[in-house]
Amino acid sequence: MNTPEPTFQDVTAAARRLAGHANVTPLLEAPVLNERVGGRVFLKAENLQLAGAFKYRGAYNRLSQLSPEQRAAGVVAFSSGNHAQGVALAARELGIDATIVMPSDAPAIKLANTRRLGASLVIYDRKTEDREAIARRLSTERGATLVPAYDDPHIIAGQGTLALEAMQQLKDRTDETADAFLTPCGGGGLIAGCALAVNALSPTTRLHSVEPANFDDMARSLASGKHERNNPNATTICDALMPTTPGNITFAIARRLLAGGLVVTDEMALAAIEFAWRELKLVVEPGGAVALAAVLNGVLDCRGKLVVVVLSGGNVDPDTYRAALSRSN
Amino acid sequence: MNTPEPTFQDVTAAARRLAGHANVTPLLEAPVLNERVGGRVFLKAENLQLAGAFKYRGAYNRLSQLSPEQRAAGVVAFSSGNHAQGVALAARELGIDATIVMPSDAPAIKLANTRRLGASLVIYDRKTEDREAIARRLSTERGATLVPAYDDPHIIAGQGTLALEAMQQLKDRTDETADAFLTPCGGGGLIAGCALAVNALSPTTRLHSVEPANFDDMARSLASGKHERNNPNATTICDALMPTTPGNITFAIARRLLAGGLVVTDEMALAAIEFAWRELKLVVEPGGAVALAAVLNGVLDCRGKLVVVVLSGGNVDPDTYRAALSRSN
């Protein structure tokens, strides 16, 4: 790959593009969480972002830089759901036709929301079809721009604006910086973008990706120093965090800047959903809850530390959500 | 009653006391809600307040003004749950013993949270016992201070800080003021406090209380000009909004400053809970959702208007919540 890595300057440029478009999501502190972990945890509530996840940041940053000719030809993306909604919303705002390739087993809420945002959907079977091939064929046929979910410098820079915002909010509130910064990790776009911002603003902050068990390709790749792949038959309730292997650009950044990858179980993610519901009054999806799960279960020891935890999305089907809540009875 | 009415200056003084103690809760705007109602709606997410509801504001404002002798003798309150938790948390922070009189049929989550915050609970039967008499007896026996849930100038002034904050956030975001300001209404502490702040900052803003059907005592009292009572056998899922009649101070303020009272059904409140879950990623309790329900159902016509809606609390039992979500299947 000769695609250039984005820089911190790309993140600050993305923040200027997003100003007035993306929500400035709140950074929340909850005494009950601090007491439980013995430190100070600040939650970046990115489930309150437009379209219910951080993905709008990268999508808008990417699409707003297309030329008039590229805009006229439309965009194509493949996604299990949150990138789909982010691209669909950004495309609608910019007057661009969007076609999204989504798996048939994506959460119904994500399929419905993507459709409602005006995108055309192409459904594929996760077990037997290659979504990337379908998307590439569609984009070639139409001359449309393929918008990758994570392995793209503009997407990564856009996601990094979340950390830029969070670190500024943290400074305004505490006049301190973070000891650690945790984000959920699928293909690595969010953690890579955040790493660029956090490393530039606070080089001592330890950055961690958090993945569900069975989809811990980033943690294993960071440990081995090369791209590790997940078992193609693996499953998780964290539908947003099911990549094959880390992206090329995202892994190059992660190798250089991350302290390491953390892993939580599906059970921990469900318990974190229930905690966020009961104690924080926030709706979080399984993949959006894994970083919170890591601090709740001591996968990262937060005692005496100041830790930023990203709640990356809240698009969850009612059945999954009700199942998580039934834990509290 | 010769208790003096609080003033706008009492609200600003309360805001100074609460600074650094209460959360500054976010004011959120959601395009999907704006599209649905044809106006601009800003949601004051007070479900993200400490202890999950606005009640901490009034409780902290009241308790922080007690003398050392009064603090040593402790406080007593009666509440179906949110005032209980607000008083318990403020008392714990200030090192004051708190005894809370709660009905046996209060949501389990509210009973459990109040206990966890270190308060002593006295449980009574809503049908056969008089909670006010129990609380007065306890406070007399112990020399403890009775902390009313709403009909108290310091409590009202504390709740008013929510509107002070919201109107400032709205100005920062839009450089405009609100056409209308809606809050859920039980005994009237929240709407009365907010009315003092909103009326001082923006006299043209129309203020509305929102109540559940069968507990529309404020709406009927505003219409008739005198205290109207609810049927003692009436029921609602909005456990936080079940007063007998408006408070004396709260009604005096409401009569002077409100444009009128709005009423929604339990069914509308449940649908608003589901909407907040699906579209806003916020957990709201039935009583906390009634003002949102009023705009979602056109009880207040928002077309072309800028409206502030308070989501006043998020303490809801899992069974009630799951029932609300089952609507979206």
Side-chain angles (χ1 to χ4, degrees), chain A residues 81-237:
Chain A
N82 283 334
H83 179 57
Q85 292 172 74
V87 169
L89 178 60
R92 190 179 67 166
E93 288 183 5
L94 294 162
I96 299 172
D97 279 341
T99 302
I100 317 281
V101 182
M102 293 184 76
S104 53
D105 62 349
I109 191 172
K110 293 181 177 178
L111 291 162
N113 284 348
T114 307
R115 214 172 261 127
R116 193 182 60 177
L117 288 166
S120 305
L121 262 58
V122 175
I123 307 296
Y124 75 99
D125 182 333
R126 199 194 287 270
K127 302 284 178 202
T128 62
E129 295 182 273
D130 178 352
R131 65 181 188 172
E132 203 162 336
I134 298 170
R136 286 195 193 285
R137 178 172 50 75
L138 288 169
S139 70
T140 305
E141 282 171 11
R142 303 174 185 186
T145 301
L146 187 64
V147 183
Y150 47 85
D151 216 24
D152 175 290
H154 304 301
I155 297 286
I156 295 168
Q159 321 304 27
T161 62
L162 181 161
L164 201 64
E165 209 173 273
M167 296 301 278
Q168 185 60 52
Q169 291 169 316
L170 184 67
K171 192 165 186 317
D172 291 346
R173 289 267 288 282
T174 67
D175 209 27
E176 292 188 64
T177 189
D179 295 303
F181 193 106
L182 274 62
T183 82
C185 180
L190 178 59
I191 189 67
C194 289
L196 293 174
V198 172
N199 184 253
L201 297 170
S202 170
T204 59
T205 300
R206 291 172 66 82
L207 286 146
H208 293 281
S209 56
V210 187
E211 296 169 298
N214 299 337
F215 285 86
D216 57 346
D217 50 299
M218 181 63 88
R220 287 184 292 112
S221 300
L222 288 169
S224 73
K226 60 184 176 54
H227 276 83
E228 303 289 348
R229 301 176 78 82
N230 298 314
N231 181 330
N233 299 317
T235 60
T236 173
I237 56 158

Side-chain angles (χ1 to χ4, degrees), chain B residues 23-263:
Chain B
N23 285 343
V24 176
T25 54
L27 187 75
L28 303 167
E29 186 180 17
V32 63
L33 179 55
N34 289 347
E35 283 166 32
R36 173 146 163 189
V37 305
R40 286 187 83 178
V41 177
F42 287 85
L43 298 154
K44 182 65 170 164
E46 194 66 10
N47 57 328
L48 306 181
Q49 187 51 267
L50 296 174
F54 70 96
K55 291 285 192 177
Y56 173 79
R57 294 177 184 266
Y60 187 88
N61 188 48
R62 181 72 167 86
L63 268 56
S64 64
Q65 294 182 74
L66 293 178
S67 69
E69 294 71 26
Q70 289 173 318
R71 291 188 190 200
V75 295
V76 174
F78 50 89
S79 162
S80 68
N82 283 333
H83 178 57
Q85 292 172 75
V87 169
L89 178 59
R92 191 180 66 166
E93 289 183 4
L94 294 163
I96 300 172
D97 279 341
T99 301
I100 317 281
V101 182
M102 293 183 76
S104 52
D105 62 348
I109 190 171
K110 293 181 177 178
L111 290 162
N113 285 347
T114 307
R115 216 172 259 125
R116 192 183 61 176
L117 288 167
S120 305
L121 262 60
V122 175
I123 307 296
Y124 75 98
D125 182 333
R126 199 194 287 269
K127 302 285 179 202
T128 61
E129 295 182 274
D130 177 353
R131 63 180 189 173
E132 203 162 336
I134 298 170
R136 285 193 195 286
R137 179 173 48 75
L138 288 169
S139 70
T140 305
E141 281 170 13
R142 303 175 185 186
T145 301
L146 188 64
V147 183
Y150 47 85
D151 216 24
D152 174 289
H154 304 300
I155 297 287
I156 294 168
Q159 320 305 27
T161 63
L162 181 161
L164 200 64
E165 210 174 272
M167 295 301 277
Q168 185 60 53
Q169 290 169 318
L170 184 66
K171 191 167 186 316
D172 291 345
R173 289 267 288 283
T174 67
D175 209 29
E176 292 187 64
T177 190
D179 295 304
F181 193 106
L182 274 62
T183 82
C185 181
L190 178 60
I191 189 66
C194 288
L196 294 174
V198 171
N199 184 254
L201 297 170
S202 169
T204 59
T205 301
R206 289 172 68 84
L207 287 146
H208 293 281
S209 55
V210 187
E211 296 168 299
N214 299 337
F215 285 85
D216 58 345
D217 51 299
M218 180 64 87
R220 288 184 291 113
S221 300
L222 287 169
S224 74
K226 61 184 175 58
H227 277 82
E228 303 289 346
R229 303 176 76 82
N230 297 314
N231 181 330
N233 298 317
T235 59
T236 173
I237 56 159
C238 302
D239 60 272
L241 307 179
M242 299 174 74
T244 314
T245 189
N248 289 308
I249 312 174
T250 57
F251 182 49
I253 296 170
R255 272 189 78 173
R256 198 171 71 243
L257 299 178
L258 263 58
L262 307 176
V263 183

Side-chain angles (χ1 to χ4, degrees), chain A residues 237-239 266-290 292-293 296-297 311 313-328, chain B residues 277 283 321 325:
Chain A
I237 56 158
C238 302
D239 60 272
D266 276 4
E267 191 58 25
M268 291 177 187
L270 281 171
I273 289 175
E274 196 274 331
F275 182 90
W277 172 80
R278 178 164 37 87
E279 302 291 356
L280 309 173
K281 313 305 176 191
L282 292 173
V283 178
V284 186
E285 65 181 279
V290 294
L292 175 60
L296 284 173
N297 291 281
L311 303 173
N315 295 314
V316 49
D317 271 344
D319 286 347
T320 305
Y321 202 76
R322 282 198 299 261
L325 296 203
S326 68
R327 304 171 46 91
S328 66
Chain B
W277 172 81
V283 178
Y321 202 75
L325 296 203

